[in-house]
Amino acid sequence: MKPWREIAVPHRDVLGGTFQQSEFAADITAVHTRRASPEYQDAASFFERTYITEGMRLLLTQVAQRLAGRGGEPVIQLQTAFGGGKTHTMLAVYHLASRKCELSQMAGVPELVDRAGLMDVPKAMVAVIDGTDRAPGQSRMEGKQEIRTLWGELAWQLGKAEAFEFVKEADASGTSPGKDVLRSLLERYSPCVILIDELVAYVRQFSEGQQLSGGTYDSNLSFIQALTEAVKLVPTAIVLASLPESEVEAGSQRGVAALRALEKTFGRVQALWRPVATEEAFEIVRRRLFEPVRDAAARDAVCRAFADAYVAEGAKLPSETQEGRYYDRLVQAYPIHPEVFDRLYEDWTTIDGFQRTRGVLKLMAKVIYRLWKDDNKDLMVLPGTLPLYDGSGRNELTYYLPAGWDAVIERDIDGDRAETTELENKEPRFGQLHAARRVARTIFLGSAPSSVVNQSGIRGLDRARILLGCLQPGQASSSYADALNRLSDRLHYLNSSGDRTQDATRYWFDTRANLRREMEDRKRRYNDETDVRGKIAEGMKRVVGTTSFFDGTHIFTPHADVPDDSALRLVVLPPKIWHSRDEARIAEEAVLDYVRNNGPKSRYRGNRLIFLAADHGALARLSDAARVVLAWSSIVDDIKQGRLNIDLLQQRQAEKELQTAQDVLPRAIRECFKWLLCPGQENATDPKPHVEAFALNTSGGSLVSEIERVCLDNELVITTWSPIHLRAKLKELYWRSSEPAVKAMTFWEDTLRYLYLPRLKDREVLSKAIRNGAASRDFFGTAYGKTGDVFEGFHLGMGDVQFDDTLLLIELDAAKAFEEASRPKLKPEPEPEKPNEELVFDKDPLANDDVRGRQEPSGGQSKLRSFHGAADILPATAKMRMIQLAEEIVSLLMTDPNAQVKVTVEIAAEFPNGVSDQVKRAVSENARSLGLKVADWE
């Protein structure tokens, strides 16, 4: 047997994926004003793709007879559900009456005229009144003529200015013309057809007693009554009006009142027509989506094979499949299985907003397009064939359902990661038939609408109907029955009504699995600012709490509790301070508040903070994820405490749900907190700082690693700094001709404070940059103090520097000039010193030391055996001088392994006004800890 794709070929627009709802959303005004697409504008093309249903045939017969003066109803009301085909039916009447082609060119119309006993149908004047095309308080101009009301519009369309004279005064005053005036108008321009669409939408806009240019509420109702009475008196005039079937479609309370009033008005004379019967939908959809079947024998063979297979299965399938007429239904619906139509028209059309004809057409167009692209080889398109893995077709269904169904489909029903796919991969007997996915798709199509509309307590599909949605000729029903049993134990969202071994047990999908209803109730109890925020903070600690890139992480911490120090800190802003591309003000103001303030005090080191903010679009999902964790946690706790009585299976299910929710929360946090906010300032003269937002990649690695990557890639935090950049900043902001040196510590403190300076990860980054720069003669010189014009401890080209409070960084030209000026001049050889003089260092460390040492005569026979040295050191440079003495004298003495070197440090301090208790206590404690032999106070 041939698959459906070899027998029924879709229309070109369906195959190309260009089939749009707008193309078959009939618009009577667009056709009347010649702005519609060709398939609706051209009468022949329209009837070629239109299936004339029984209701439409009877209606067109009435219209033909009326226009020919052979009877027929004068007023016909088309009242059906949203998407039931009423506007399409009006279009058929429009083309019949105003055709620009012969009747013979309009498919199906000649036969209809013959059955009505007519030789021809007179062409007629057509007036179209569309309630959505005009506003009651807005007139329109035709040349110099202003048209205000519906009756003015009617007259103008029938006969332009000449006809308008009949109602000119009534149009100007906003009062309804009388029945006699309208009768005269209709007689003058008959045969005529008046099509009224969306009348409720127009009338409901009038408030009680309100006078608009279009009249009043009462005057419009009076016009409709007068019009319907007048039409009865003109044998070749007819009115067709469409009214919504439900109060939901009528809209507001005013709309419902207008609907009821119009129903009473039309009820006086109208004949009620319901255009589309359910069985006729088969042909409507087939004709609109598919080319005519050219191989009828192949189609009949497929349908016969299905019917025979159903008979062979017997009681395992629904009883209607055992009747001979089910074969006829298969032929009528081919290539779409009747069960698809039954589920759509019996279940899905009960959902408000799902249109009987348009909704089904749009859905099936996308289904056929995806199946054709995927080279589907099924014999017919069954419920189990629907490609729910395709986002486009799936969205057509889930759009009408409550939130949460996408997750149900992806997890349990269809897709690469679905449980059904995993089961088929493990079980080849299921995988060959795609049995698990077919079963799940069938249950979804038949049960999902019940999550919106409760149908008298009956929910889901029984086993027989599930098998009907899956089984094809040549397949064993047992494979699908086994798959159903396996899925019952495995799927998360699949529910059943009782013992799964019984054929009468019903199955349905829901977004809530078992205890989910209890969980849904509980999760609404929690407060956003306390419970939910606390749970998100707890999850955030797991996501970013272990970062080593930042010295501190502060989650939802107020700025008063974020320390004002040199540590690099990540501040996670609370959920209510969110960021989005369209609205950045809330987060930016909060960031600048943190940068400026530290509680009631001003923040001094504002350049040490990086901020993480939530995305506004993902906040709702994150909040829901946190509530789900809280709800399942409380359920599991109640189970353990005996406050909730459930069976063991449900207990295990609750524990599984809790674990799942706890796993989801970090992912939701990861997806929600996607904005890294960094305060900055272009230069020192900018009047105010700005906040730059960087979007984090929510997929891939951890949030911590992604934050680190963005910080490094965008140089928000610098971990390695070249001395070139250090020199550039010093030259730009610090070095001046009058002051060519700056303290390194001053620069470090400024980087902590000012947003226009680089944000270094820590002090070691600057220290390393200084060492690398000091080791070269290309960047700057160093010193440890300055007295007058003399740099103390000056070096140029020596990298072994100590980054402390005294370190100076000297501009390169100034350093070279000082080096040149400090070079020692050549002096005559000094006379030999007297022997045995003590070696004493001058107290001025930069002057030439006066050295007196005990020396043997230069020509003596014995070697020198001892060395004594003493030096006075300025307290300000004590650290540097002590290091120099240790490296340049003590370390040289220690090179002789036999030398016995003793170093004694003597410290003396005088306090003319007496020492403070604080200094005395600190010095004494440090002296004890350092092991000083003498540490006396006097």
Side-chain angles (χ1 to χ4, degrees):
M1 289 182 290
K2 295 180 180 180
W4 67 267
R5 62 186 295 115
E6 296 181 15
I7 301 174
V9 179
H11 284 307
R12 184 176 300 175
D13 56 351
V14 178
L15 291 179
T18 58
F19 186 95
Q20 297 295 328
Q21 186 177 13
S22 59
E23 293 183 11
F24 61 85
D27 187 335
I28 187 71
T29 300
V31 174
H32 187 58
T33 56
R34 309 198 64 80
R35 291 182 286 107
S37 58
E39 64 186 48
Y40 282 99
Q41 192 67 61
D42 180 70
S45 299
F46 174 82
F47 279 101
E48 183 181 350
R49 286 197 176 188
T50 297
Y51 173 66
I52 300 179
T53 65
E54 182 64 19
M56 187 183 293
R57 184 185 67 80
L58 294 174
L59 175 63
L60 292 176
T61 300
Q62 291 282 337
V63 172
Q65 290 174 338
R66 186 73 181 173
L67 296 178
R70 300 277 297 275
E73 296 287 346
V75 180
I76 299 176
Q77 177 193 335
L78 305 176
Q79 188 172 39
T80 184
F82 189 44
K86 54 181 178 289
T87 307
H88 202 91
T89 302
M90 295 180 79
L91 276 177
V93 174
Y94 178 91
H95 283 303
L96 177 64
S98 65
R99 63 191 181 277
K100 301 294 190 297
C101 61
E102 299 297 327
L103 283 177
S104 59
Q105 296 179 279
M106 300 162 66
V109 173
E111 294 84 353
L112 182 149
V113 174
D114 289 342
R115 288 185 183 181
L118 300 174
M119 296 297 294
D120 193 11
V121 178
K123 293 183 181 181
M125 301 296 297
V126 179
V128 175
I129 298 177
D130 186 349
T132 60
D133 188 49
R134 58 185 298 124
Q138 182 179 1
S139 61
R140 73 181 185 89
M141 300 298 296
E142 285 287 350
K144 295 182 180 181
Q145 181 62 55
E146 182 180 16
I147 301 175
R148 300 167 177 265
T149 62
L150 292 184
W151 43 96
E153 184 69 31
L154 170 64
W156 188 270
Q157 289 192 32
L158 288 178
K160 303 297 182 183
E162 177 185 332
F164 189 76
E165 290 296 325
F166 283 87
V167 298
K168 187 173 183 178
E169 292 182 3
D171 181 79
S173 63
T175 57
S176 172
K179 177 177 66 175
D180 291 339
V181 172
L182 292 175
R183 175 184 178 181
S184 300
L185 174 67
L186 297 177
E187 286 177 341
R188 172 69 178 80
Y189 296 100
S190 64
C192 60
V193 175
I194 302 168
L195 303 176
I196 305 176
D197 197 13
E198 304 291 353
L199 185 59
V200 171
Y202 181 82
V203 175
R204 71 188 177 197
Q205 298 180 66
F206 290 95
S207 299
E208 194 69 40
Q210 183 183 19
Q211 177 75 41
L212 299 174
S213 62
T216 65
Y217 179 81
D218 291 332
S219 66
N220 277 271
L221 292 181
S222 297
F223 164 67
I224 296 300
Q225 183 175 349
L227 177 63
T228 55
E229 293 291 340
V231 167
K232 288 194 305 180
L233 304 177
V234 181
T236 55
I238 186 171
V239 170
L240 277 80
S242 70
L243 295 180
E245 185 179 54
S246 68
E247 294 184 357
V248 174
E249 296 175 60
S252 63
Q253 292 182 348
R254 194 68 183 163
V256 174
L259 174 61
R260 296 290 171 254
L262 289 169
E263 284 177 336
K264 290 180 182 179
T265 301
F266 279 105
R268 298 168 58 90
V269 294
Q270 57 92 31
L272 186 65
W273 230 261
R274 298 184 182 273
V276 180
T278 301
E279 291 295 328
E280 294 169 331
F282 294 172
E283 183 63 21
I284 293 173
V285 174
R286 190 205 63 73
R287 183 174 292 204
R288 183 60 187 87
L289 298 181
F290 295 92
E291 301 286 349
V293 173
R294 293 183 173 84
D295 192 348
R299 176 200 62 194
D300 294 345
V302 170
C303 294
R304 176 55 62 190
F306 269 95
D308 292 345
Y310 294 158
V311 172
E313 293 291 341
K316 295 180 182 179
L317 298 175
S319 57
E320 67 264 24
T321 62
Q322 308 303 301
E323 301 174 2
R325 59 184 179 180
Y326 200 78
Y327 166 77
D328 297 330
R329 293 196 77 206
L330 288 165
V331 173
Q332 283 181 320
Y334 187 88
I336 301 172
H337 196 280
E339 184 67 9
V340 174
F341 286 110
D342 288 345
R343 298 285 63 79
L344 291 175
Y345 281 100
E346 293 178 17
D347 300 332
W348 285 85
T349 55
T350 61
I351 302 175
D352 288 336
F354 189 91
Q355 302 179 43
R356 290 177 58 85
T357 303
R358 301 177 187 178
V360 173
L361 277 171
K362 189 176 181 183
L363 169 65
M364 295 311 300
K366 293 187 175 184
V367 167
I368 298 302
Y369 169 74
R370 175 47 53 195
L371 293 178
W372 187 274
K373 287 293 184 182
D374 292 346
D375 196 29
N376 179 267
K377 296 294 181 64
D378 287 353
L379 296 177
M380 293 185 76
V381 179
L382 294 99
T385 311
L386 299 184
L388 297 178
Y389 56 84
D390 176 57
S392 180
R394 181 179 67 219
N395 291 341
E396 281 299 315
L397 294 172
T398 57
Y399 174 80
Y400 303 99
L401 302 176
W405 276 100
D406 282 326
V408 175
I409 295 172
E410 291 174 0
R411 179 185 175 101
D412 275 8
I413 301 175
D414 206 353
D416 294 337
R417 296 179 295 176
E419 291 283 348
T420 49
T421 304
E422 184 177 343
L423 177 61
E424 290 174 356
N425 291 337
K426 292 181 179 179
E427 298 277 354
R429 66 191 185 102
F430 295 148
Q432 291 175 354
L433 302 175
H434 302 301
R437 276 179 282 181
R438 290 179 183 273
V439 166
R441 292 166 184 164
T442 301
I443 298 173
F444 169 79
L445 185 66
S447 65
S450 62
S451 64
V452 182
V453 182
N454 291 324
Q455 300 174 341
S456 65
I458 300 176
R459 191 172 189 184
L461 302 178
D462 58 23
R463 186 182 296 266
R465 202 153 290 281
I466 295 172
L467 294 179
L468 177 61
C470 305
L471 186 64
Q472 297 190 76
Q475 297 176 348
S477 62
S478 59
S479 298
Y480 295 106
D482 291 346
L484 176 60
N485 293 335
R486 292 291 299 276
L487 295 178
S488 300
D489 296 329
R490 185 182 182 114
L491 296 189
H492 182 64
Y493 297 102
L494 181 61
N495 298 270
S496 58
S497 61
D499 187 353
R500 296 169 184 168
T501 62
Q502 301 297 319
D503 290 340
T505 299
R506 304 182 76 85
Y507 298 85
W508 69 91
F509 278 109
D510 197 348
T511 55
R512 296 169 294 187
N514 297 316
L515 288 170
R516 183 166 293 275
R517 188 178 301 277
E518 174 70 15
M519 185 277 295
E520 292 285 343
D521 292 338
R522 293 193 182 204
K523 78 177 187 179
R524 288 192 287 269
R525 304 174 189 172
Y526 299 105
N527 182 273
D528 280 334
E529 287 299 313
T530 55
D531 306 312
V532 176
R533 172 172 160 161
K535 180 54 68 175
I536 295 175
E538 182 182 314
M540 181 63 74
K541 289 178 183 177
R542 293 163 54 189
V543 175
V544 301
T546 58
T547 177
S548 59
F549 186 72
F550 294 94
D551 300 314
T553 301
H554 305 274
I555 299 172
F556 308 161
T557 306
H559 56 66
D561 297 328
V562 178
D564 185 14
D565 56 18
S566 63
L568 183 65
R569 300 183 182 277
L570 176 67
V571 178
V572 183
L573 298 174
K576 66 180 181 180
I577 304 176
W578 46 265
H579 180 87
S580 73
R581 296 187 189 277
D582 299 328
E583 177 54 72
R585 177 182 54 83
I586 297 174
E588 288 181 357
E589 289 179 354
V591 167
L592 296 179
D593 192 32
Y594 271 82
V595 170
R596 292 171 180 146
N597 301 311
N598 183 211
K601 303 177 297 182
S602 295
R603 183 175 296 277
Y604 184 75
R605 299 176 177 87
N607 200 30
R608 303 306 290 163
L609 305 180
I610 299 286
F611 298 85
L612 182 65
D615 180 71
H616 183 252
L619 264 180
R621 181 175 181 272
L622 174 59
S623 177
D624 186 73
R627 289 177 180 274
V628 170
V629 174
L630 290 168
W632 282 119
S633 297
S634 68
I635 290 173
V636 171
D637 288 342
D638 286 352
I639 294 172
K640 292 179 179 178
Q641 298 298 324
R643 293 190 292 267
L644 193 62
N645 295 321
I646 60 175
D647 57 32
L648 182 61
L649 178 62
Q650 289 177 310
Q651 178 180 347
R652 290 175 179 171
Q653 188 178 37
E655 292 171 349
K656 180 182 178 182
E657 290 280 2
L658 174 58
Q659 183 60 51
T660 300
Q662 289 173 336
D663 293 341
V664 167
L665 182 59
R667 295 199 297 270
I669 291 173
R670 177 79 169 83
E671 294 171 1
C672 182
F673 282 84
K674 60 175 286 187
W675 293 106
L676 198 66
L677 306 180
C678 180
Q681 198 169 350
E682 291 299 327
N683 52 63
T685 59
D686 276 359
K688 64 180 293 186
H690 63 269
V691 178
E692 193 170 2
F694 298 87
L696 301 176
N697 184 358
T698 58
S699 60
S702 68
L703 179 59
V704 172
S705 62
E706 175 64 10
I707 292 174
E708 182 175 348
R709 182 192 67 79
V710 171
C711 285
L712 296 179
D713 289 354
N714 296 280
E715 296 186 346
L716 309 182
V717 177
I718 296 175
T719 56
T720 303
W721 208 30
S722 168
I724 296 175
H725 302 307
L726 172 58
R727 180 186 65 182
K729 281 296 178 186
L730 293 175
K731 188 174 182 179
E732 176 188 355
L733 300 171
Y734 292 90
W735 287 333
R736 298 290 181 267
S737 58
S738 59
E739 188 55 52
V742 62
K743 281 190 175 184
M745 189 58 67
T746 299
F747 179 78
W748 166 245
E749 286 292 340
D750 287 351
T751 65
L752 307 181
R753 182 177 182 181
Y754 298 115
L755 299 178
Y756 55 80
L757 288 176
R759 186 180 294 102
L760 307 180
K761 185 177 184 300
D762 50 36
R763 178 170 157 167
E764 179 58 28
V765 175
L766 179 58
S767 178
K768 187 175 181 181
I770 291 174
R771 290 197 300 270
N772 291 339
S776 170
R777 296 178 60 88
D778 298 329
F779 301 105
F780 45 75
T782 60
Y784 291 92
K786 184 179 182 184
T787 303
D789 293 332
V790 177
F791 291 107
E792 300 170 0
F794 171 81
H795 286 289
L796 180 61
M798 187 189 81
D800 190 13
V801 296
Q802 297 297 318
F803 182 12
D804 57 18
D805 295 345
T806 64
L807 180 63
L808 294 174
L809 302 179
I810 309 167
E811 195 271 330
L812 184 60
D813 292 338
K816 289 181 177 179
F818 179 77
E819 181 185 51
E820 183 64 28
S822 300
R823 292 185 187 278
K825 298 179 181 179
L826 295 176
K827 296 182 179 180
E829 288 291 331
E831 296 182 2
E833 299 178 359
K834 296 180 180 180
N836 299 327
E837 273 195 64
E838 183 180 5
L839 179 63
V840 180
F841 293 100
D842 189 354
K843 66 179 179 180
D844 184 354
L846 295 179
N848 293 328
D849 294 339
D850 180 14
V851 180
R852 295 173 295 150
R854 298 174 184 172
Q855 302 179 6
E856 295 292 335
S858 59
Q861 290 84 11
S862 61
K863 295 181 179 180
L864 301 177
R865 296 181 177 274
S866 63
F867 170 80
H868 296 277
D872 291 332
I873 299 174
L874 292 175
T877 59
K879 179 178 178 181
M880 182 269 293
R881 295 295 290 162
M882 293 288 282
I883 292 172
Q884 287 181 323
L885 290 173
E887 292 181 347
E888 299 178 17
I889 295 179
V890 178
S891 60
L892 291 175
L893 296 174
M894 292 293 293
T895 56
D896 187 339
N898 298 318
Q900 297 178 3
V901 180
K902 179 180 179 181
V903 179
T904 302
V905 178
E906 182 177 333
I907 303 172
E910 297 291 339
F911 298 89
N913 298 324
V915 67
S916 67
D917 292 339
Q918 183 180 1
V919 172
K920 179 181 177 183
R921 183 168 56 254
V923 172
S924 297
E925 290 177 358
N926 292 339
R928 282 195 300 273
S929 64
L930 294 173
L932 268 66
K933 291 183 179 180
V934 179
D936 296 333
W937 293 90
E938 296 179 356

